[in-house]
Amino acid sequence: MTAIKTEAQDVLRLTNISKSFGATKANSDINFALKKGEVIALLGENGAGKTTLMNILFGHYTPDTGTVEAFGQMLPPGKPGAALAAGIGMVHQHFTLADNLTVEENILLGTEPLWKLGLGRAAARARIVQLSQDFGLAVHLAAKVGLLSVGERQRVEILKALYRDARVLILDEPTAVLTPQETDALFVTLRKAVALGLSVIFISHKLHEVMAIASRVLVLRHGRLVGEVAVADTDKHALAEMMVGAEVAPPEIAAAQIGAPILSLRAVSVVSQGTKGGLQDIDLQLKSGQITGLAGVSGNGQAALADLLSGLIVPDQGEVEIDGRAIAQWSPRIALSNGIARIPEDRHKTGAIADFTLTENVILESFKSAQFSRRGWMNKAEADRFARHVIDTYDVRCPGPATPIRLLSGGNMQKLILGRALEPGPKVILANQPVRGLDIGAVTYVQSRLIAARDAGAAVLLISEDLDEIMGLSDVIHVISEGRLSPGFARGSKSATELGIWMAGHGFAEDAA
Amino acid sequence: MRLEPVTAPTLARTLGYPALAIALTVILASGLSLLAGANPFATLGLIIKGAVGSKFALLETLNRATPLIFTGLAIAVAFKAKLWNIGAEAQLYAGAVVTVLLGTGAVGLPQPFFWVVMAGGAMLAGALVLLGPVLLKTRLGVDEVVTTLLMNFIVLLFVSYLLEGPMKDPMGMGWPKSAALLREARLPRIVPGLRLHWGFGLALVSAGVVWLIQTKTTLGYEIRAVGLNKEAARFAGISVSRVLVLTALLSGGLAALAGFSEVAGLKGNLTLDLSPGFGYTGIIVAMLALLHPLGVVVSALFVAGIFVGADSMSRAAGVPSYIADILLASALLLMVLAILLTRFRVVRG
């Protein structure tokens, strides 16, 4: 009798959620409900408010207004345990597993008092095995988590949530670290979960995945819920428009005037370190007047390549050549003095010193030059003048050069870093995820500056996980997969699907398997 | 309960919490002196009087502040680069030993040069004592908190050996102390007849020099960059190990100057009780000054005043002079908390 009622029941309902941080409205007046046996996608650019919303749901933040209801019960705000106890499980983008414990121990950790962990294992193990069969999550229970691949770790995280009787699974950017095959396997698991009556919130900014797995899509922009559509009634184009607020125009780009190779990697190998993938026998030429795009799923060696070109690591094998001469010594300073400009992936951790002023940050790579210091004494006036020049030229919105950079928005911080990198007139520009997390205005600005630098004769290497960005900007595209580099494909010669096959690791010469 | 950063702290916030910290410290001290059976107002009055109430008291405070300025600067310089030098005590004694070696007749030089050579030798010794731990840190990743802390015991025991053996004063009636410095090796008094020596002047100059280095030179810029964000500094081409080594040399040298100044300016010889923990108290001095080199002078005077004042109060009022330690400890903890509260706001839930 009650079956119909149960079926229509909302397992999760968020009502009028608002949250501000200072002047920033991270979430304003968000309402949505999740039904039993449904996958909804939460779509939005970085900074759109997805993470804040999930933190409110999990009680890490107290909302300014609004309520969270799970299975008909109101969740007390600001109580981190409540959502878990109500059967909501979250798989974070950055896993929360103990590397030195086994899979089984990781799953059990926190479910039993520590002194009982050793007891009653057989029953617990049987349940884990049952769950892994039901949901298609193959893992080796006795393996140490530290030795597992990223995909396997994610399966452990999901099992962990399921073992805690999660009825709602929230996955935060789950595919960012997965290969396409692992992504497919994850989708199989999610479909099984839904068939078994679970509900899933899938957070992503990858449109094709959202289209593939979700039944409904919620689009967040600048903290507001700007759209709620059934996947059947929409397409990628419309979603993209909703996400960024306007038709995404590919940047204007003229035909490339390709010149001589400036920087070459010859048979370069880098041993992988920890979770950072290495490089296997890579040959790459960066040519003057050309944007070289590096496509690939993150964690396939992009970090090693970026570190190498930044001067942070030296190749274990092979050579780096600049203007045809092999480099004998290699460090960030030497890279800089050879005209390599770097825009690092993480502007907060690597690109800037948060508590330094704009002036101090803008001279970070050049403070020892004759322009900014003499015999060890800083020339503050000249540094300030340079900072003002960069602020004006690169449209950095800020109160002034004496402002600590941490007070700037991501886009303005990135513009300052861009100015710092481009002002010396570099020969090579390494742009690692240069527009990640920026609003659309800053994205266009940064991209047009990179194009201008390329037109002025710089060799640009663009590393991005966003295939659309790569395809829009690059004159030649290489795909990186498990540390191997594909041949260069000229602009327009390969479709996204064809590049995707390379990204999945197929097509490489030494691919025997 | 959680902390949320305050983006633009008001003046009331910046000054209110530290003032509250001082008030709480005073209330705590009053409570303790009540427990000891004395009138709290009288106790506080006696502490202040003992610290600054007379010419003699004031000079005593300045004298006591001198080594604290040096060790405070040493700690402030190192902590600014997030180099946790807990071994200022060891560096101080190393400086003292070299001062004695040079000042008791190993070299003989006309006066201004004599002091320069002794001070330079002392700084070198202190720098070398810290060089080992910092190389272990930059090369092998060994935690410098442990190594610098343990160096304190190693150096102190080594000094003990020296004072019982090779450096023992043959005329010392069997006491473990070194021979006295030559007359021309002693630092003169600033005002003849008063017990304040030029070590204090050197301390003030050092604070000014450290301030110049930190704010006006590329090295200071690098030190701050490394301390605030090692990864970004490395990415920008700063050699983090080089900066840490230079910081260590500067820090160790400054701490050693405390030993030089105490031996050449005040004591005239070396004994095992040369420092009643100046190296450790330097940490409090530096923290209270928020690692600012000129602030170190102020906080060293404050800390010295409390010690000197409490000693004198203890004789007059019968409240144990340990109250000075409690006062300083609570002042430090409350001040650290107050500074946190000026930058962060506590949010419930």
Side-chain angles (χ1 to χ4, degrees):
Chain A
M1 281 294 175
T2 55
I4 299 161
K5 205 180 159 196
T6 319
E7 204 173 42
Q9 192 189 8
D10 291 338
V11 293
L12 192 65
R13 194 201 311 272
L14 277 75
T15 316
N16 296 329
I17 300 280
S18 293
K19 175 77 179 170
S20 300
F21 295 104
T24 321
K25 282 212 157 228
N27 284 161
S28 46
D29 208 20
I30 290 176
N31 291 286
F32 74 83
L34 177 66
K35 293 188 171 56
K36 185 166 188 272
E38 169 185 56
V39 179
I40 64 170
L42 198 56
L43 189 66
E45 291 192 292
N46 287 328
K50 294 172 292 182
T51 308
T52 304
L53 191 60
M54 289 307 118
N55 275 323
I56 289 172
L57 175 51
F58 272 87
H60 297 308
Y61 292 158
T62 315
D64 298 337
T65 67
T67 53
V68 179
E69 221 178 295
F71 303 99
Q73 298 284 314
M74 205 70 92
L75 292 186
K79 290 273 186 297
L84 281 174
I88 302 170
M90 175 125 187
V91 176
H92 291 273
Q93 202 174 350
H94 303 286
F95 302 140
T96 53
L97 298 170
D99 280 355
N100 54 346
L101 296 183
T102 65
V103 170
E104 182 180 319
E105 285 162 340
N106 264 289
I107 292 171
L108 295 180
L109 199 64
T111 60
E112 304 269 349
L114 278 176
W115 58 90
K116 279 173 71 186
L117 260 188
L119 310 169
R121 278 275 186 104
R125 187 173 303 143
R127 209 177 136 224
I128 299 173
V129 170
Q130 188 62 46
L131 285 171
S132 75
Q133 279 168 5
D134 289 349
F135 290 88
L137 292 161
V139 281
H140 186 43
L141 288 189
K144 288 260 195 291
V145 162
L147 302 173
L148 300 185
S149 75
V150 177
E152 288 170 309
R153 283 177 208 218
Q154 190 176 64
R155 294 203 278 276
V156 178
E157 281 282 12
I158 297 174
L159 272 176
K160 216 170 97 179
L162 294 173
Y163 186 81
R164 284 160 177 71
D165 293 318
R167 308 297 299 153
V168 176
L169 272 181
I170 299 174
L171 300 132
D172 188 10
E173 303 274 354
T175 59
V177 292
L178 299 185
T179 64
Q181 291 90 334
E182 284 172 326
T183 302
D184 291 343
L186 171 69
F187 284 2
V188 170
T189 297
L190 294 185
R191 289 194 185 101
K192 282 186 177 159
V194 171
L196 287 168
L198 273 70
S199 310
V200 176
I201 299 179
F202 185 86
I203 302 172
S204 180
H205 56 239
K206 294 189 182 171
L207 298 172
H208 59 279
E209 288 171 358
V210 166
M211 296 295 292
I213 189 74
S215 55
R216 261 193 313 145
V217 185
L218 305 174
V219 184
L220 275 182
R221 187 171 79 229
H222 300 318
R224 288 181 181 283
L225 199 57
V226 294
E228 183 174 349
V229 284
V231 163
D233 302 334
T234 188
D235 58 23
K236 273 166 68 173
H237 197 74
L239 286 179
E241 219 179 298
M242 252 193 264
M243 213 164 106
V244 299
E247 178 98 17
V248 220
E252 295 274 330
I253 187 159
Q257 303 289 318
I258 298 169
I262 299 179
L263 187 143
S264 309
L265 302 182
R266 298 212 185 284
V268 164
S269 294
V270 171
V271 177
S272 58
Q273 286 183 336
T275 52
K276 265 191 182 179
L279 298 174
Q280 291 176 30
D281 199 20
I282 282 200
D283 286 284
L284 177 67
Q285 282 201 331
L286 302 181
K287 291 180 182 158
S288 167
Q290 176 178 271
I291 296 183
T292 306
L294 189 72
V297 179
S298 82
N300 272 284
Q302 292 98 326
L305 185 60
D307 283 357
L308 179 67
L309 294 183
S310 301
L312 291 169
I313 57 172
V314 292
D316 292 303
Q317 275 170 33
E319 280 185 343
V320 180
E321 279 180 15
I322 295 176
D323 290 331
R325 287 189 317 274
I327 293 293
Q329 292 232 306
W330 197 231
S331 73
R333 184 130 296 283
I334 294 170
L336 282 165
S337 64
N338 276 289
I340 301 180
R342 297 97 29 91
I343 297 166
E345 178 177 12
D346 189 333
R347 53 183 161 271
H348 298 278
K349 260 168 70 187
T350 327
I353 295 180
D355 287 321
F356 263 17
T357 65
L358 296 190
T359 300
E360 287 170 323
N361 269 296
V362 85
I363 59 167
L364 200 54
E365 291 174 343
S366 53
F367 65 94
K368 280 197 170 163
S369 70
Q371 189 186 359
F372 300 124
S373 63
R374 262 187 69 202
R375 294 191 192 145
W377 293 88
M378 305 284 287
N379 186 343
K380 174 100 173 23
E382 184 60 31
D384 274 333
R385 189 150 57 231
F386 179 63
R388 270 189 223 103
H389 170 69
V390 170
I391 288 168
D392 291 343
T393 317
Y394 293 84
D395 188 29
V396 182
R397 312 269 167 83
C398 65
T403 316
I405 203 167
R406 66 184 152 79
L407 298 180
L408 264 59
S409 73
N412 285 312
M413 197 188 274
Q414 189 73 331
K415 284 180 192 171
L416 191 91
I417 293 170
L418 187 74
R420 177 176 82 195
L422 297 186
E423 270 305 294
K427 292 189 290 185
V428 179
I429 299 165
L430 164 69
N432 193 357
Q433 310 273 8
V435 301
R436 180 152 78 179
L438 303 188
D439 62 69
I440 193 77
V443 167
T444 317
Y445 185 84
V446 170
Q447 290 181 341
S448 66
R449 280 283 178 176
L450 289 176
I451 293 168
R454 160 252 208 198
D455 290 342
V460 181
L461 177 66
L462 173 69
I463 302 179
S464 176
E465 286 155 33
D466 184 339
L467 201 50
D468 295 336
E469 182 189 356
I470 292 280
M471 293 179 70
L473 290 178
S474 312
D475 301 308
V476 60
I477 299 173
H478 291 271
V479 179
I480 191 165
S481 174
E482 290 174 8
R484 299 163 304 176
L485 197 68
S486 78
F489 307 120
R491 174 190 295 278
S493 70
K494 285 266 184 291
S495 69
T497 321
E498 287 170 310
L499 291 174
I501 293 170
W502 282 86
M503 283 162 71
H506 302 294
F508 292 90
E510 62 270 50
D511 188 11
Chain B
M1 295 235 293
R2 249 189 356 263
L3 293 175
E4 274 183 9
V6 178
T7 36
T10 58
L11 190 67
R13 196 178 188 90
T14 334
L15 297 179
Y17 281 112
L20 195 64
I22 293 171
L24 277 174
T25 309
V26 170
I27 292 170
L28 190 71
S30 308
L32 286 169
S33 66
L34 267 180
L35 267 180
N39 177 348
F41 294 103
T43 308
L44 285 170
L46 283 170
I47 289 180
I48 294 169
K49 189 154 166 266
V52 294
S54 65
K55 197 191 220 179
F56 173 80
L58 189 61
L59 290 175
E60 197 52 36
T61 299
L62 296 183
N63 253 339
R64 186 76 71 97
T66 303
L68 290 178
I69 295 175
F70 286 120
T71 54
L73 287 174
I75 303 293
V77 160
F79 281 17
K80 200 87 184 173
K82 294 226 162 70
L83 177 71
W84 307 117
N85 175 15
I86 314 295
E89 194 78 0
Q91 295 137 30
L92 179 152
Y93 272 103
V97 166
V98 169
T99 305
V100 168
L101 284 177
L102 296 173
T104 50
V107 287
L109 286 165
Q111 238 171 11
F113 302 109
F114 207 165
W115 300 321
V116 172
V117 168
M118 283 196 304
M123 287 186 82
L124 194 64
L128 287 176
V129 167
L130 189 49
L131 187 62
V134 80
L135 286 179
L136 283 172
K137 175 188 169 73
T138 54
R139 299 286 163 86
L140 301 171
V142 180
D143 183 9
E144 76 276 19
V145 172
V146 176
T147 50
T148 55
L149 180 66
L150 293 180
M151 280 304 271
N152 289 338
F153 301 99
I154 296 172
V155 169
L156 206 63
L157 287 168
F158 183 66
V159 170
S160 168
Y161 153 78
L162 288 176
L163 293 181
E164 293 287 357
M167 279 176 71
K168 191 171 188 170
D169 182 8
M171 317 294 284
M173 323 279 285
W175 293 102
K177 61 172 190 165
S178 77
L181 257 58
L182 300 174
R183 180 167 294 278
E184 58 270 31
R186 298 290 301 268
L187 288 173
R189 304 204 161 160
I190 294 176
V191 182
L194 295 178
R195 219 171 83 101
L196 181 67
H197 57 88
W198 271 107
F200 181 71
L202 181 63
L204 293 185
V205 171
S206 301
V209 169
V210 168
W211 179 77
L212 277 179
I213 290 176
Q214 283 195 343
T215 54
K216 306 283 178 199
T217 68
T218 51
L219 176 63
Y221 176 85
E222 289 175 298
I223 289 175
R224 287 184 294 128
V226 167
L228 288 172
N229 185 342
K230 205 182 279 188
E231 195 180 323
R234 192 165 100 88
F235 181 81
I238 294 173
S239 164
V240 173
S241 342
R242 181 183 141 273
V243 170
L244 286 178
V245 167
L246 288 175
T247 305
L249 296 179
L250 185 59
S251 171
L254 284 165
L257 282 181
F260 159 77
S261 144
E262 286 295 280
V263 170
L266 202 63
K267 301 284 173 63
N269 66 1
L270 175 58
T271 55
L272 262 185
D273 59 2
L274 177 74
S275 160
F278 289 136
Y280 300 103
T281 311
I283 299 174
I284 301 180
V285 169
M287 299 290 281
L288 279 177
L290 304 181
L291 309 185
H292 192 292
L294 302 182
V296 162
V297 175
V298 178
S299 79
L301 288 171
F302 170 73
V303 169
I306 287 186
F307 275 126
V308 172
D311 272 349
S312 134
M313 176 279 303
S314 164
R315 284 190 294 273
V319 177
S321 66
Y322 295 120
I323 199 168
D325 294 306
I326 297 173
L327 262 175
L328 281 182
S330 49
L332 177 69
L333 291 175
L334 289 166
M335 198 57 93
V336 167
L337 188 66
I339 285 151
L340 184 83
L341 287 174
T342 58
R343 295 189 54 187
F344 296 90
R345 154 187 314 124
V346 179
V347 182
R348 264 159 35 92

